[in-house]
Each structure stands twice: as structure tokens, then as C-alpha cells.
Amino acid sequence: MEIRVNPTRMELNRLKKRLTMAQRGHKLLKDKRDELIRQFLILVRKNKDLREHVEEELSAAFSKFLLARAVMPAESLEEALMYPTKTLSLEISEQNIMSVYAPKFNWAEEDTGSEEDSSIYPYGFADTSAELDISIETLSSILPQLMELAEVEKAVQLLAEEIEKTRRRVNALEYVLIPRLEETIKYITMKLEESERGALTRLMKIKDVVRAKM
Amino acid sequence: MPIDDTIYAYSVGRVRALETRLLDQSRFERMIDAASGEEALKVLSETDYAAAVTELNDVHDFEYMLSAELKNIFDLIRDISPRPEMIATLALRYDVHNLKVLFKAKYLGVKTDLLIPVGTVDLNKLEYAVNEDDYRDFPGDLRQAAENINEDFLVNRDPQIIDLILDQVLYKQLITLAGEYNSAFLEGLFIRQIDLTNLKTLIRVKRMGLDREFLKKVLLPHGSLPADRLISLTDEPLESMITALNMSEYADLIEEGVREWLEKGTASRFEKLADDYITAYLKKGKWKAFALEPLVGYLWAKEIEIKNIRIVMVGKINQLPAEAIKERIRNVYL
């Protein structure tokens, strides 16, 4: 379906300009899409590895935790973990991947205590099980990976959205706008040619009439 | 002052009757073989726990049942014991737990529901004391410790300090009390508990990669294994612990526990053996007719039974393999 326009030369020029613009946009967007997908694939692979790793470690940590839970009364366990030795401060900035603004986590562990070397274990040893140590240790060691995973996963999500959007734009240009413009241009050219031919015939006819009268 | 031992006649008789109702090994095995947490509870409902089990709305509430049972048993033994103050020493552990909870809750500015109502000091009094910084009613060293915590925490804000100070003062107090009551039996029990805790702490500290200075801070006082000896083992590989301590009475336990710890990286065996060791120690006094031993033994047996039930229930609800549960089940006192 073509665009409804007056078949004038002015209109034709305008449309031609729009067409070149659309084609240029199409090419650019296509490049953008390809690059996005490339970035996306890199991140997705990283995400997959990270996630598998983290899930494995987490489930191990949880099963250890379960065992610690089994050998300690609920009250003792809760008491042991009541007051954390470390707090985490999280600062979120942006990182630009192909003009997609993904979050970047900057985080730092802070000791709640003023002693610099306070351990990650906020409890005493007499009333707690050693199985708790192991689960706390695992949990604390996967925290950095967990943060990275969160970062990567969000980036992947945002990239996926952006790819979707870009692809829709590329398709709209490729299958709708550009064909329409082309059709309309063709229509106007034909119309113009037609009227040109009409004018020509009329001219020849008039010439004949004039010549016959002489 | 010499005490007429026959004053124990009634309470020991009572305990003899109660002992027969402790859960035996085969009962735990049936629980482990049960298909689910609910099934395991059913096995439990054939025992003394029947009444408590029927009151449970949900399997996950079994912890309430165990807490209630613990309180009942302590109240009972304290009531029937001719010298309740000696039984109270065993409840001191719960006072210390409550203190830890209260201190942490105070510094965090939160309310807590983690108190265990088994201790010797009334919970409201304890709460009041901690909140108002008024420790006048605390027994002996505990008051000093409470004040120390207050000072130390405000400077360092390290929650571990709370636990460490209180654990140490607990065992110090226990040894003092055992001396005051002139009870070699209680003293023996506490010393063994201290030694076992210290051994475990040594391995844990090594595993955490912390140094001897730290170990020095966390070891409990008054153990039979000299602290210097333990501290000197910090920098040596775990294996050397086996040889270094093979002359102590804990040799077998250390060898098996440490080996398992090295191979599988879990402390479960060591902890089980440690509990079994105490059980064995208490069993020796089980058949004394007029003495404190059977009462203490029964209390311990009950604590172990509760621990075992917890292990089985947590294991069953979370579908741990039967093996994992079995290797953690403590020997029963029977």
C-alpha cells in the first residue's frame, strides 16, 4: 500500500530524500543489532557459566547449612548469626554497553567492628557446630560471584530488550517503510511520466492542427 | 560438710523409672527409615512424646515440642533433686545463651524471641538487667563478664567478643561451682566438656586460617589439656595433632575424628564422638544408687535424645540421605 500523496515533483523529491534516509537508518540499525547480538552472546555465555557455578556452590552451602541446622538447636543457631560482623555497602553506577545502560555494582564489605581483622564468623565456638563454619565460609566466598551474576544477568536482560526493540525497528524499516516509499516513488514517477506523455501528445496534436490550417 | 547420700534415694528412684522411657537406638533407626517427616513423627507418637506430637499442627513445628520437653525435664529434675543448686549448674549454659541473645538484641535494637526458658535466672529479670545495665543480681563472675562486654563492645563492636567472653566465663563459673559443691564428678564432666570444646576449637581455628593469637583468645580456661600445648599445635598440620595428643585420654576420639575431618572435610564425626565421649563418661556413674550421677546422666541423656530427634526430623523433612542422618545420630545413654 502506498502513501497517499499528491503526485507532484516536489513530493517526489521529498520522498526520495526520505527513502535514502530510511535506507541509511536501516543499515545503521542493522549494524547495531548485529553488534548487540554479539555482545549479548558473550554475556549470555558468561551468565550461563556463572549461574551454573553459583548454583552449584549455593546448593552445597545450603546443604551444609542444613546439617549445621540439624545438629544445633534453632535458638543457638539464630543467636550465633544474630549480629553480623560485616555489612555490605552497595553502590550502583551505570555502564554503557551499546547505549544500553546496565547497572554496575561497586560494593565493599565493611566491618561492623572497628577491629580491622574481625572474622566473618560472628559467633563463639563453645556452643556452635563446626559445620556452621563451613557453610558460612562457602556463603561468604561466593558472595562476589553472586554480585557479578546479578550484574551480568541484569545486563543480559536489558540487552535482550534492546535487541528486541532494534529488531522491530529494523523490520519496520525493511518490510514496511522502505517498500512503501519505493512504491509511492514509483507511483509518482509513473503519474508524472503519464502526464508528460499526455502533454506531449497534446502538443503534437496541436502542432498538427496548426500545420493543417496554414 | 558431709552429706548423707541417702537423700538421693527418692530422686534416683524416680530417674530409674524415667530412664526406661528414653528412646533407644532402634527407635531412632525406625525414625530414620520412615518415608517422611510425618512418618517419623508417627514413630515418635508411640513414645513419651505422644501428647506433644498430637498437639503439633505442622511437622515443621517439632522444634517447639523439643524446647518444651527440655524445659519440662529440667524443671522436673530440679524439683526432685535434693540439691537443686547442683542441677542448676547444668542450666547455666542456657542463662549464658540468653545473655548472648539479650546483648546482641540490645546492640541491634531489636526484640528477640530466641530466649530459652531453662536457665536459672528469670528471663524478665535477665532482660531488665541487660537493658538497664544493672547486673547486681548476677552470680559472681557473670557480673564482671557482663560489664566487660558492655565496655568492650562499645569500643570494638565485634559480636564475636560477646560469645567469647560469655563462653569463657560460663566454664570458669562451672569449674568454680563444682569446686564449691565439692563434686569431683561435676568437675570431671565440665573439664571433659572444656577439653573437647577446646580440641574442636583448635581444629576450627586452623581451618579458618586464623593465627595462634586468636586461638589464645578463644580457648576455654581450666581444661586438662594445657593451653600452651594446644596453641603450639596451631602452626603444625592437623595430622600431628593425632600423634601429639596420643597420650591423652582423648586419643582414640582425636584420631578418628581428625582423620574423618581431613578426609571428608566435615566435623560431624568429631562432634558425634565428642558427645558420645561425654555420654560414656556419664554412663559410668549411672548405676550409683545414692548419688548425683544418675540425675545428671539422665539430663544429659535427655539433651542427647532431643538432639537426635532434631537431627532425624531436620533430615527427614529435608530428605537427607539416611546415611547422612545415621552418621550424626549420637549414641544413646541406655
Side-chain angles (χ1 to χ4, degrees):
Chain A
M1 203 191 80
E2 75 256 330
I3 308 162
R4 281 181 185 280
V5 284
N6 295 327
T8 60
R9 210 159 277 281
M10 248 224 329
E11 205 56 47
L12 180 68
N13 279 337
R14 211 174 58 84
L15 283 176
K16 275 189 179 157
K17 247 185 230 153
R18 268 184 76 187
L19 180 65
T20 37
M21 181 81 94
Q23 274 161 343
R24 219 172 74 208
H26 174 243
K27 190 180 167 307
L28 280 174
L29 279 174
K30 223 162 126 181
D31 288 350
K32 179 181 174 187
R33 184 195 63 189
D34 293 346
E35 178 60 18
L36 274 176
I37 288 177
R38 199 182 64 84
Q39 298 271 8
F40 180 74
L41 285 177
I42 296 173
L43 280 180
V44 161
R45 270 186 213 118
K46 192 170 161 198
N47 187 38
K48 183 167 173 284
D49 291 346
L50 258 177
R51 187 161 252 292
E52 274 168 6
H53 184 71
V54 165
E55 267 175 17
E56 198 177 301
E57 297 255 326
L58 261 188
S59 70
F62 281 136
S63 65
K64 298 260 172 53
F65 207 72
L66 198 66
L67 294 175
R69 169 70 191 79
V71 291
M72 285 172 72
E75 290 95 348
S76 299
L77 184 70
E78 300 255 346
E79 182 271 317
L81 303 176
M82 212 170 149
Y83 200 125
T85 40
K86 309 246 174 191
T87 51
L88 202 69
S89 71
L90 179 66
E91 208 176 278
I92 302 174
S93 52
E94 282 179 336
Q95 57 172 336
N96 188 345
I97 311 171
M98 298 287 303
S99 64
V100 176
Y101 291 97
K104 179 137 192 71
F105 296 150
N106 283 313
W107 54 283
E109 270 178 12
E110 283 163 18
D111 293 342
T112 41
S114 59
E115 269 184 73
E116 271 171 29
D117 57 343
S118 72
S119 60
I120 52 171
Y121 311 98
Y123 45 79
F125 294 86
D127 204 22
T128 52
S129 161
E131 309 210 38
L132 188 60
D133 299 352
I134 305 171
S135 67
I136 295 284
E137 190 190 302
T138 337
L139 280 177
S140 143
S141 72
I142 52 176
L143 187 70
Q145 287 159 11
L146 210 58
M147 295 297 241
E148 202 186 341
L149 178 66
E151 200 176 281
V152 171
E153 205 151 270
K154 188 69 198 167
V156 164
Q157 218 175 42
L158 290 171
L159 269 181
E161 261 169 46
E162 187 65 21
I163 289 175
E164 178 75 28
K165 237 191 279 175
T166 318
R167 201 166 55 200
R168 202 168 291 154
R169 274 191 208 146
V170 171
N171 283 350
L173 282 177
E174 190 172 337
Y175 297 107
V176 182
L177 193 63
I178 294 178
R180 263 189 213 177
L181 285 174
E182 280 169 348
E183 233 167 277
T184 317
I185 289 170
K186 206 164 138 201
Y187 161 76
I188 296 177
T189 352
M190 268 158 63
K191 208 61 174 182
L192 286 176
E193 279 170 2
E194 176 80 10
S195 60
E196 210 168 307
R197 275 194 297 275
L200 201 66
T201 339
R202 214 163 26 247
L203 215 62
M204 284 161 76
K205 198 82 186 164
I206 292 170
K207 213 169 158 192
D208 278 356
V209 172
V210 172
R211 219 174 257 164
K213 282 210 173 154
M214 293 219 342
Chain B
M1 117 190 119
I3 299 169
D4 181 8
D5 275 343
T6 51
I7 54 168
Y8 282 106
Y10 167 68
S11 45
V12 171
R14 252 324 255 288
V15 163
R16 282 288 175 258
L18 290 170
E19 271 169 7
T20 58
R21 287 194 251 159
L22 284 169
L23 307 189
D24 58 10
Q25 208 86 35
S26 66
R27 184 82 60 181
F28 283 117
E29 261 152 41
R30 274 183 59 203
M31 283 179 76
I32 296 173
D33 291 335
S36 63
E38 284 85 355
E39 293 290 317
L41 266 189
K42 257 184 216 153
V43 178
L44 213 51
S45 68
E46 299 161 10
T47 65
D48 245 15
Y49 290 90
V53 170
T54 45
E55 274 173 30
L56 288 183
N57 297 321
D58 187 63
V59 218
H60 297 88
D61 292 343
F62 70 92
E63 197 74 51
Y64 297 114
M65 174 180 91
L66 299 182
S67 309
E69 179 72 11
L70 186 69
K71 182 168 167 43
N72 288 343
I73 289 300
F74 263 96
D75 287 349
L76 174 75
I77 299 293
R78 239 179 305 202
D79 278 349
I80 62 173
S81 165
R83 304 198 59 193
E85 72 277 10
M86 287 172 87
I87 295 300
T89 56
L90 297 167
L92 209 58
R93 206 151 66 79
Y94 298 101
D95 282 323
V96 165
H97 163 86
N98 290 338
L99 268 181
K100 288 180 192 169
V101 171
L102 285 171
F103 270 116
K104 288 183 182 176
K106 177 182 163 190
Y107 296 132
L108 283 172
V110 294
K111 278 254 156 231
T112 175
D113 53 355
L114 299 173
L115 301 175
I116 304 178
V118 177
T120 56
V121 187
D122 181 64
L123 288 182
N124 290 326
K125 264 193 202 158
L126 215 54
E127 197 167 351
Y128 174 83
V130 171
N131 285 335
E132 303 295 323
D133 280 335
D134 177 2
Y135 312 108
R136 264 174 302 172
D137 293 339
F138 282 17
D141 295 329
L142 222 50
R143 183 175 61 215
Q144 186 60 44
E147 280 161 8
N148 284 351
I149 288 174
N150 234 348
E151 278 167 28
D152 199 298
F153 192 83
L154 291 178
V155 181
N156 289 322
R157 305 209 80 81
D158 182 358
Q160 201 172 31
I161 295 286
I162 302 177
D163 283 13
L164 295 182
I165 293 184
L166 283 173
D167 285 340
Q168 276 170 355
V169 79
L170 164 67
Y171 284 97
K172 202 169 145 208
Q173 181 79 1
L174 286 178
I175 294 289
T176 320
L177 285 175
E180 255 171 52
Y181 300 141
N182 217 350
S183 166
F185 161 68
L186 279 183
E187 196 175 356
L189 171 66
F190 298 143
I191 285 182
R192 280 170 181 83
Q193 285 180 334
I194 291 171
D195 284 343
L196 291 169
T197 305
N198 278 346
L199 285 173
K200 196 171 78 174
T201 304
L202 169 64
I203 310 184
R204 287 170 77 179
V205 167
K206 276 170 72 74
R207 250 198 58 91
M208 291 175 186
L210 298 168
D211 54 7
R212 44 172 75 203
E213 283 308 306
F214 184 80
L215 184 66
K216 225 180 258 179
K217 270 199 307 197
V218 299
L219 283 181
L220 302 173
H222 302 296
S224 73
L225 304 169
D228 301 344
R229 234 358 233 293
L230 294 176
I231 289 170
S232 70
L233 284 169
T234 346
D235 299 326
E236 288 173 45
L238 267 182
E239 288 87 343
S240 64
M241 216 177 131
I242 301 173
T243 40
L245 297 169
N246 67 355
M247 294 307 282
S248 74
E249 58 172 312
Y250 311 105
D252 295 344
L253 174 156
I254 294 174
E255 175 158 7
E256 198 179 337
V258 167
R259 196 144 284 159
E260 182 101 352
W261 205 326
L262 283 171
E263 272 168 27
K264 298 197 189 156
T266 86
S268 55
R269 186 92 197 141
F270 192 93
E271 288 179 349
K272 176 194 146 55
L273 289 173
D275 278 347
D276 288 351
Y277 190 87
I278 298 288
T279 308
Y281 171 73
L282 291 173
K283 249 183 179 168
K284 279 188 263 174
K286 189 181 171 191
W287 297 113
K288 293 199 176 162
F290 307 111
L292 183 68
E293 281 88 331
L295 301 188
V296 175
Y298 179 71
L299 262 185
W300 174 262
K302 219 40 196 173
E303 283 188 88
I304 288 293
E305 177 178 293
I306 287 171
K307 207 179 238 182
N308 277 344
I309 293 178
R310 181 179 299 115
I311 296 171
V312 175
M313 288 311 294
V314 171
K316 277 290 137 194
I317 290 173
N318 295 294
Q319 289 159 3
L320 289 183
E323 264 320 296
I325 306 178
K326 233 172 237 168
E327 67 186 24
R328 286 176 173 77
I329 289 285
R330 273 60 169 159
N331 288 347
V332 295
Y333 173 70
L334 291 176

